[in-house]
Amino acid sequence: MSNILDCAIVGGGPAGLTAGLYTTRGGLEHVVMYEKGMPGGQITQSSEIENYPGVTGEITGMDLMMPWPEQCKKFGLVHEMVEVKQVRKDGDIFSIIMSNESIAHAHSVIVCTGSSPRRAGFKGEDEFFGKGVSTCATCDGFFYKGKEVAVIGGGDTALEEALYLAKICAKVYLIHRRESFRAAPNTVKRVKENDKIELVLNATPDEVYGDAMGVNGIKVKLQDGTVRDIAVPGVFVFVGNDVNNQVLIQEDGSFLCDVNEQGQVIVDLSMRTSVAGLFAAGDMRIEAPKQVISAAGDGAVAGIAAISYVDELLN
Ligand code: FAD
Ligand code: NAP
């Protein structure tokens, strides 16, 4: 088989781009990063990022990510704008099948396809996403320091993030569509005991509204059919998260490597999966902190591990 890549990287967010930087700069010669859109990943949707070390001043996610592809290109990373449909392995060789049916072959693969927070589906959610509607309290909570915010959801994430936001914000309205919560009993207890959290139960989000400056509030439908208007500049949606693991699904429906019950890829500290030569990095791996810095760190670790794997395989 000719033209076998040293490494194929699937996904061009912070994890994929950093894996690209480390593999090429670290000596792998034929590395291609497959990214279905513009490189940069989900952070490019954010209007402001202020927790990336060393980056001060007002900067958008797009601004942050802009130089990353250029830096990788300098060391030889090739970017192909195409969607990957599936990754397979036959013997020691991986096949990367694209949605346009073209196929590439590689000695190693680093999968960095990220995750997608689920949307709740109310009016204005998409329009104000990144402009007042957020799915990341660690990232955006600080913008609402001393202000009131709303949190949507009744699982562990929503309640834990409500507790986190209550430390920063003046008040948190926790909006949940039922009376009881899915979250762990102790977390529910802590939420109920927190003076800064008001529970808005049996309440379905109906509409987030605002103007060019951002969100002004959220309207929720209550059980008795009335609508409650909650004036807040920030709405945090935590209604579950989907790992983008589709490329690992094989013809028979099984996964190419081990994943946990949430579909997150199980990796060791070198980002090695259960399949030799296959690495996973960033939001899609188990216990991911879901931050740009950690995704980039994972990409570096996976890149270094891929270099060792390919060296050993070919020499
Ligand atoms: P992603 O960034 O999700 O990148 C995955 C890439 O893979 C995407 O570009 C996607 O197009 C591509 N891809 C997926 N499937 C395929 C396929 N089949 N074929 C080809 N390409 C594919 N983190 C912070 O640290 N600070 C913040 O302030 C912050 N704010 C955020 C604000 C918002 C609105 C959001 C949504 C997230 C925020 N985050 C923040 C989280 C951060 O963006 C993620 O943790 C990080 O981007 C994860 O990087 P990743 O490389 O693992 O995945
Ligand atoms: P989750 O458990 O699936 O909870 C999602 C919540 O969002 C549910 O309360 C659900 O309501 C609500 N919801 C879903 N769709 C909605 C919609 N369209 N509109 C309004 N509300 C909607 O998701 P998660 O909280 O992200 O947790 C995911 C998994 O990770 C869980 O297994 C969780 O236990 C785990 N986790 C664990 C920890 C921890 O152990 N510390 C922390 C975080 C997450 P209903 O309840 O009515 O369905």
Side-chain angles (χ1 to χ4, degrees):
M1 214 179 284
S2 59
N3 297 327
I4 302 174
L5 300 171
D6 284 335
C7 186
I9 297 168
V10 187
L17 285 161
T18 311
L21 178 66
Y22 273 71
T23 44
T24 50
R25 192 169 177 275
L28 294 188
E29 286 198 358
H30 305 289
V31 184
V32 175
M33 182 185 78
Y34 300 97
E35 164 57 57
K36 64 182 173 183
M38 290 302 289
Q42 45 177 304
I43 190 62
T44 57
Q45 299 165 36
S46 175
S47 55
E48 202 170 350
I49 173 162
E50 58 180 19
N51 61 358
Y52 197 84
V55 178
T56 53
E58 276 181 29
I59 180 167
T60 66
M62 191 69 91
D63 292 338
L64 177 77
M65 297 312 296
M66 197 82 85
W68 294 38
E70 199 187 315
Q71 185 185 14
C72 296
K73 203 172 159 192
K74 202 172 99 185
F75 296 105
L77 181 71
V78 174
H79 165 217
E80 281 190 25
M81 197 187 280
V82 64
E83 183 173 22
V84 171
K85 205 162 79 177
Q86 192 184 49
V87 177
R88 286 188 217 148
K89 192 179 186 195
D90 301 297
D92 281 340
I93 303 294
F94 289 92
S95 298
I96 300 96
I97 296 116
M98 320 298 165
S99 53
N100 62 12
E101 301 305 330
S102 65
I103 301 182
H105 299 285
H107 294 299
S108 67
V109 174
I110 305 175
V111 186
C112 313
T113 42
S115 73
S116 311
R118 274 185 216 137
R119 303 278 166 107
F122 52 82
K123 204 172 153 204
E125 188 181 22
D126 290 343
E127 187 191 337
F128 289 104
F129 193 77
K131 300 171 207 143
V133 174
S134 171
T135 50
C136 182
T138 323
C139 321
D140 298 332
F142 194 74
F143 301 133
Y144 306 101
K145 190 170 163 50
K147 297 179 184 165
E148 297 193 348
V149 295
V151 166
I152 296 166
D156 280 307
T157 306
L159 271 68
E160 286 182 5
E161 298 306 299
L163 287 164
Y164 172 83
L165 288 164
K167 289 187 206 146
I168 304 168
C169 305
K171 179 168 181 171
V172 177
Y173 295 91
L174 178 61
I175 299 165
H176 180 37
R177 62 185 178 183
R178 291 189 297 126
E179 183 82 38
S180 59
F181 294 103
R182 269 174 204 277
N186 188 46
T187 310
V188 176
K189 185 169 171 275
R190 284 170 55 218
V191 163
K192 286 184 174 167
E193 286 170 359
N194 193 308
D195 291 343
K196 287 169 93 181
I197 302 177
E198 178 182 329
L199 301 183
V200 184
L201 301 178
N202 298 311
T204 315
D206 194 32
E207 177 185 0
V208 160
Y209 60 90
D211 52 32
M213 299 300 288
V215 165
N216 292 329
I218 179 166
K219 289 179 184 168
V220 295
K221 264 201 190 116
L222 303 176
Q223 214 172 21
D224 62 6
T226 58
V227 173
R228 180 170 170 189
D229 191 342
I230 303 171
V232 283
V235 174
F236 290 84
V237 182
F238 303 112
V239 296
N241 210 280
D242 295 316
V243 180
N244 299 329
N245 58 19
Q246 298 83 348
V247 301
L248 296 170
I249 299 173
Q250 308 297 288
E251 262 68 37
D252 63 1
S254 66
F255 283 93
L256 177 59
C257 60
D258 291 346
V259 300
N260 69 9
E261 56 290 351
Q262 274 120 41
Q264 297 156 340
V265 179
I266 297 171
V267 291
D268 66 10
L269 289 175
S270 297
M271 302 301 139
R272 287 184 292 227
T273 69
S274 57
V275 170
L278 179 69
F279 305 83
D283 273 16
M284 69 171 326
R285 66 141 167 112
I286 46 162
E287 290 169 40
K290 298 201 170 75
Q291 295 291 291
V292 173
I293 186 71
S294 51
D298 281 3
V301 171
I304 292 166
I307 294 170
S308 300
Y309 173 82
V310 174
D311 274 354
E312 238 172 77
L313 185 77
L314 301 183
N315 298 311

